[in-house]
Amino acid sequence: MSQHAVERTLGKLLTDESFRERFFTTPRETVWAAGLRLSDIELAALSGLSRSALRSFSARLDARICRLSLAIEFSPEERHP
């Protein structure tokens, strides 16, 4: 419930593709799991952001400041050798 949590959430939305996708599917659970404590008002405001605008802005950031996202899916057998 602080400006710091809002700023951290915005930063993660811009630099972490996996977080961004999870956020727009299950926002409350995603921020909670990340340790970000947002008020209902803050969560509603951030949930109202344009997903495509965030994705577009993120694509323009230097890759060195973005979290690597691997879009590789593994079968359950491959995950646990």
Side-chain angles (χ1 to χ4, degrees), residues 40-49:
D40 290 340
I41 292 170
E42 293 165 337
L43 187 60
L46 292 169
S47 296
L49 293 172

Side-chain angles (χ1 to χ4, degrees), residues 33-72:
L36 301 164
R37 303 302 179 246
L38 299 172
S39 70
D40 290 340
I41 292 170
E42 293 165 337
L43 187 60
L46 292 169
S47 296
L49 293 172
S50 166
R51 188 181 215 164
S52 63
L54 288 170
R55 190 179 306 118
S56 177
F57 186 78
S58 177
R60 290 172 177 76
L61 295 174
D62 189 311
R64 295 174 290 184
I65 64 169
C66 293
R67 181 176 296 265
L68 178 62
S69 176
L70 299 177
I72 300 172

Side-chain angles (χ1 to χ4, degrees), residues 16-35:
D16 186 337
E17 181 181 0
S18 177
F19 177 85
R20 183 171 55 249
E21 294 308 312
R22 289 190 319 272
F23 177 83
F24 282 106
T25 303
T26 55
R28 186 172 309 283
E29 293 82 358
T30 301
V31 297
W32 186 262

Side-chain angles (χ1 to χ4, degrees), residues 9 12 62:
T9 304
K12 287 185 73 61
D62 189 311

